[in-house]
Coordinates of all heavy atoms in Angstrom, one line a residue:
G283 N 0.8 -1.2 0.0 CA 0.0 0.0 0.0 C 0.9 1.2 -0.1 O 2.1 1.2 0.0
S284 N 0.2 2.4 0.0 CA 0.9 3.7 0.0 C 0.1 4.6 0.8 O -1.1 4.4 1.1 CB 1.1 4.3 -1.4 OG -0.2 4.5 -2.0
R285 N 0.7 5.7 1.4 CA 0.0 6.7 2.2 C 0.6 8.1 1.7 O 1.8 8.2 1.6 CB 0.3 6.6 3.6 CG -0.1 5.3 4.4 CD -1.7 5.4 4.7 NE -2.0 6.5 5.6 CZ -2.2 6.3 6.9 NH1 -1.8 5.2 7.5 NH2 -2.6 7.3 7.6
K286 N -0.3 9.0 1.6 CA 0.1 10.3 1.4 C 0.4 11.1 2.8 O -0.2 10.9 3.7 CB -1.0 11.2 0.8 CG -0.6 12.6 0.5 CD -1.7 13.4 -0.2 CE -1.3 14.9 -0.5 NZ -2.3 15.5 -1.2
I287 N 1.7 11.7 2.8 CA 2.1 12.3 4.0 C 2.5 13.8 3.8 O 3.3 14.1 2.8 CB 3.5 11.5 4.5 CG1 3.1 10.1 4.9 CG2 3.9 12.2 5.8 CD1 4.2 9.2 5.1
V288 N 2.0 14.6 4.5 CA 2.3 16.0 4.5 C 3.3 16.4 5.5 O 3.1 16.1 6.7 CB 1.1 16.9 4.6 CG1 1.4 18.4 4.5 CG2 0.1 16.7 3.5
V289 N 4.5 16.9 5.1 CA 5.4 17.2 6.1 C 5.5 18.7 6.3 O 5.6 19.5 5.2 CB 6.9 16.8 5.6 CG1 8.0 17.2 6.6 CG2 6.9 15.2 5.6
T290 N 5.4 19.3 7.4 CA 5.4 20.8 7.7 C 6.7 21.1 8.4 O 7.1 20.3 9.5 CB 4.3 21.2 8.7 OG1 3.1 20.8 8.0 CG2 4.3 22.6 8.8
V291 N 7.5 22.0 7.8 CA 8.8 22.4 8.4 C 8.6 23.7 9.2 O 8.0 24.7 8.6 CB 9.8 22.5 7.4 CG1 11.1 23.0 7.9 CG2 10.1 21.3 6.5
R292 N 9.0 23.8 10.4 CA 8.9 25.0 11.2 C 10.4 25.6 11.6 O 11.2 24.7 12.0 CB 8.2 24.8 12.5 CG 6.6 24.7 12.2 CD 5.9 24.7 13.4 NE 4.4 24.7 13.1 CZ 3.7 23.6 13.0 NH1 4.3 22.4 12.9 NH2 2.5 23.6 12.6
V293 N 10.6 26.8 11.6 CA 11.8 27.4 12.0 C 11.6 27.6 13.5 O 10.7 28.2 14.0 CB 12.1 28.8 11.3 CG1 13.3 29.5 12.0 CG2 12.2 28.7 9.8
T294 N 12.6 27.0 14.3 CA 12.6 27.1 15.8 C 13.6 28.1 16.2 O 13.6 28.6 17.2 CB 12.7 25.7 16.5 OG1 14.0 25.2 15.9 CG2 11.6 24.8 16.1
E295 N 14.7 28.2 15.5 CA 15.8 29.0 15.9 C 16.6 29.5 14.6 O 17.4 28.6 14.0 CB 16.8 28.5 16.8 CG 17.7 29.4 17.5 CD 18.6 28.7 18.6 OE1 18.0 27.7 19.1 OE2 19.6 29.2 18.9
C296 N 16.5 30.8 14.2 CA 17.1 31.2 12.9 C 18.6 31.1 12.9 O 19.2 30.8 11.8 CB 16.7 32.6 12.7 SG 15.0 32.9 12.2
G297 N 19.3 31.3 14.0 CA 20.7 31.2 14.1 C 21.2 29.8 13.8 O 22.5 29.7 13.6
K298 N 20.3 28.7 13.8 CA 20.9 27.4 13.6 C 20.3 26.8 12.2 O 20.4 25.5 12.0 CB 20.4 26.5 14.7 CG 21.0 26.8 16.0 CD 20.7 25.9 17.1 CE 21.4 26.2 18.4 NZ 21.1 25.2 19.4
V299 N 19.8 27.7 11.4 CA 19.4 27.1 10.0 C 20.3 27.7 9.0 O 21.0 28.8 9.2 CB 17.9 27.6 9.7 CG1 16.9 26.9 10.7 CG2 17.7 29.1 9.6
P300 N 20.6 27.0 7.9 CA 21.5 27.4 6.9 C 20.8 28.6 6.2 O 19.7 28.6 5.9 CB 21.7 26.2 6.0 CG 20.3 25.4 6.2 CD 19.9 25.7 7.6
R301 N 21.6 29.5 5.6 CA 21.3 30.6 4.9 C 20.8 30.1 3.5 O 19.8 30.6 2.9 CB 22.4 31.6 4.8 CG 21.9 32.8 4.0 CD 23.0 33.9 4.0 NE 22.4 35.2 3.6 CZ 22.7 36.3 4.0 NH1 23.5 36.4 5.1 NH2 22.0 37.4 3.7
N302 N 21.5 29.1 2.9 CA 21.2 28.5 1.7 C 21.1 27.1 2.0 O 22.1 26.4 2.4 CB 22.3 28.8 0.8 CG 22.0 28.2 -0.7 OD1 21.1 27.4 -0.8 ND2 22.7 28.7 -1.7
A303 N 20.0 26.4 1.8 CA 19.7 25.1 2.1 C 20.5 24.0 1.4 O 20.7 22.9 1.8 CB 18.2 24.8 2.0
G304 N 21.0 24.4 0.2 CA 21.9 23.5 -0.6 C 21.2 22.3 -1.0 O 20.3 22.4 -1.8
L305 N 21.6 21.2 -0.4 CA 20.9 19.8 -0.7 C 20.1 19.3 0.4 O 20.7 18.4 1.1 CB 21.9 18.9 -1.3 CG 22.5 19.1 -2.6 CD1 23.6 18.2 -2.9 CD2 21.5 19.1 -3.7
P306 N 19.0 19.9 0.8 CA 18.4 19.4 1.9 C 17.8 18.0 1.7 O 17.5 17.6 0.6 CB 17.1 20.4 2.1 CG 16.9 20.9 0.7 CD 18.3 20.9 0.1
F307 N 17.7 17.2 2.8 CA 17.2 15.9 2.6 C 16.4 15.5 3.8 O 16.4 16.2 4.9 CB 18.4 14.9 2.5 CG 19.4 14.9 3.6 CD1 19.1 14.0 4.8 CD2 20.5 15.6 3.6 CE1 20.1 14.0 5.7 CE2 21.4 15.7 4.7 CZ 21.2 14.8 5.8
L308 N 15.5 14.5 3.7 CA 14.7 13.9 4.7 C 15.2 12.6 5.1 O 15.5 11.8 4.1 CB 13.2 13.9 4.4 CG 12.5 15.2 4.3 CD1 11.1 15.0 3.8 CD2 12.5 16.0 5.5
D309 N 15.4 12.2 6.2 CA 15.6 10.9 6.7 C 14.4 10.1 7.1 O 13.5 10.7 7.9 CB 16.6 10.8 7.9 CG 18.0 11.3 7.5 OD1 18.5 11.0 6.4 OD2 18.6 12.0 8.4
V310 N 14.1 9.0 6.5 CA 12.8 8.3 6.8 C 13.3 6.9 7.3 O 14.1 6.3 6.6 CB 12.0 8.1 5.4 CG1 10.8 7.3 5.8 CG2 11.6 9.6 4.9
T311 N 12.8 6.5 8.3 CA 12.9 5.1 8.8 C 11.7 4.3 8.7 O 10.6 4.7 9.2 CB 13.3 5.3 10.4 OG1 14.6 6.1 10.4 CG2 13.6 3.8 10.9
L312 N 11.8 3.2 8.1 CA 10.7 2.2 7.9 C 11.1 0.9 8.7 O 12.2 0.5 8.8 CB 10.6 1.9 6.5 CG 10.4 3.0 5.5 CD1 10.6 2.5 4.0 CD2 9.2 3.7 5.7
R313 N 10.0 0.4 9.4 CA 10.2 -0.8 10.1 C 9.0 -1.7 10.1 O 7.9 -1.2 10.0 CB 10.7 -0.6 11.5 CG 9.7 0.0 12.4 CD 10.3 0.5 13.7 NE 9.3 1.2 14.5 CZ 8.7 0.8 15.5 NH1 8.9 -0.5 16.0 NH2 7.8 1.5 16.1
N314 N 9.2 -2.9 10.3 CA 8.0 -3.9 10.6 C 8.5 -4.8 11.7 O 9.6 -4.6 12.3 CB 7.6 -4.6 9.3 CG 8.7 -5.5 8.6 OD1 9.7 -5.9 9.4 ND2 8.6 -5.7 7.4
T315 N 7.9 -5.9 11.9 CA 8.2 -6.8 13.0 C 9.5 -7.5 12.7 O 10.1 -7.9 13.7 CB 7.1 -7.8 13.3 OG1 6.9 -8.5 12.0 CG2 5.9 -7.3 13.8
R316 N 10.0 -7.6 11.5 CA 11.2 -8.3 11.2 C 12.3 -7.5 10.9 O 13.5 -7.9 10.9 CB 10.9 -9.2 10.0 CG 10.0 -10.3 10.3 CD 9.9 -11.2 9.2 NE 9.4 -10.3 8.0 CZ 8.3 -10.4 7.3 NH1 7.4 -11.3 7.8 NH2 8.0 -9.6 6.3
A317 N 12.2 -6.2 10.4 CA 13.4 -5.4 10.0 C 13.1 -3.9 10.1 O 11.9 -3.4 10.3 CB 13.5 -5.7 8.4
K318 N 14.2 -3.1 10.0 CA 14.2 -1.7 10.2 C 15.1 -1.2 9.0 O 16.3 -1.7 9.0 CB 14.7 -1.3 11.4 CG 14.7 0.2 11.8 CD 15.1 0.5 13.2 CE 15.2 1.9 13.5 NZ 15.6 2.2 14.9
E319 N 14.6 -0.3 8.2 CA 15.4 0.3 7.1 C 15.4 1.9 7.3 O 14.5 2.5 7.5 CB 14.9 0.0 5.8 CG 14.9 -1.4 5.5 CD 14.4 -1.7 4.1 OE1 13.9 -0.8 3.4 OE2 14.5 -2.9 3.7
A320 N 16.6 2.5 7.2 CA 16.8 3.9 7.1 C 17.1 4.3 5.6 O 18.0 3.8 5.0 CB 17.9 4.3 8.0
H321 N 16.4 5.4 5.2 CA 16.5 6.0 3.9 C 16.7 7.5 4.0 O 16.1 8.1 4.8 CB 15.3 5.7 3.0 CG 15.0 4.2 2.8 ND1 15.6 3.5 1.8 CD2 14.2 3.3 3.5 CE1 15.2 2.1 1.9 NE2 14.3 2.0 2.9
S322 N 17.5 8.0 3.1 CA 17.6 9.4 3.1 C 17.3 9.8 1.6 O 17.6 9.2 0.7 CB 19.1 9.9 3.2 OG 19.5 9.8 4.6
Y323 N 16.4 10.9 1.6 CA 16.0 11.3 0.3 C 16.3 12.7 0.1 O 16.0 13.7 0.9 CB 14.4 11.3 0.2 CG 13.8 9.9 0.3 CD1 13.5 9.4 1.6 CD2 13.8 9.1 -0.8 CE1 13.0 8.1 1.6 CE2 13.4 7.8 -0.7 CZ 13.0 7.3 0.5 OH 12.5 6.0 0.6
I324 N 17.1 13.1 -1.0 CA 17.4 14.4 -1.4 C 16.3 15.0 -2.2 O 15.9 14.2 -3.2 CB 18.8 14.5 -2.1 CG1 19.9 14.1 -1.2 CG2 18.9 15.9 -2.7 CD1 21.3 14.0 -1.9
L325 N 15.7 16.0 -1.9 CA 14.5 16.4 -2.5 C 14.5 17.3 -3.7 O 13.6 17.7 -4.3 CB 13.6 17.1 -1.4 CG 13.2 16.2 -0.2 CD1 12.5 16.9 0.8 CD2 12.4 15.0 -0.7
G326 N 15.8 17.6 -4.1 CA 15.9 18.3 -5.4 C 16.1 19.8 -5.3 O 16.0 20.4 -4.2
A327 N 16.6 20.3 -6.4 CA 16.9 21.8 -6.6 C 15.6 22.7 -6.2 O 15.8 23.7 -5.7 CB 17.5 22.2 -7.9
R328 N 14.5 22.3 -6.8 CA 13.3 23.2 -6.6 C 13.0 23.2 -5.1 O 12.7 24.3 -4.6 CB 12.2 22.6 -7.4 CG 11.0 23.6 -7.4 CD 9.9 23.1 -8.3 NE 9.1 22.3 -7.5 CZ 8.0 21.6 -8.1 NH1 7.8 21.7 -9.4 NH2 7.4 20.9 -7.3
Y329 N 13.0 22.1 -4.4 CA 12.7 22.1 -3.0 C 13.7 23.0 -2.1 O 13.5 23.7 -1.4 CB 12.7 20.8 -2.4 CG 12.5 20.6 -0.9 CD1 11.4 20.9 -0.4 CD2 13.6 20.4 -0.1 CE1 11.1 20.8 1.0 CE2 13.4 20.4 1.2 CZ 12.3 20.5 1.8 OH 12.1 20.6 3.2

């Protein structure tokens, strides 16, 4: 199956965010009863 997920990003401290995000990525961890997998997704230049 699949699920639509909306991710909301909030600024909590301006001094700790990059001025130019460069190649931002999200880390996603998937798991079930038998395994756990970590994935990183670079979301591209437009993002």
Side-chain angles (χ1 to χ4, degrees):
S284 64
R285 295 282 300 263
K286 180 178 180 176
I287 301 169
V288 176
V289 177
T290 303
V291 180
R292 288 190 175 85
V293 175
T294 57
E295 192 172 338
C296 287
K298 292 185 177 181
V299 295
R301 185 177 196 139
N302 181 346
L305 289 174
F307 58 90
L308 291 179
D309 292 322
V310 178
T311 302
L312 306 171
R313 68 183 171 109
N314 63 22
T315 56
R316 296 179 306 246
K318 181 177 178 180
E319 293 182 355
H321 299 271
S322 285
Y323 297 96
I324 296 175
L325 302 175
R328 189 173 89 188
Y329 175 78

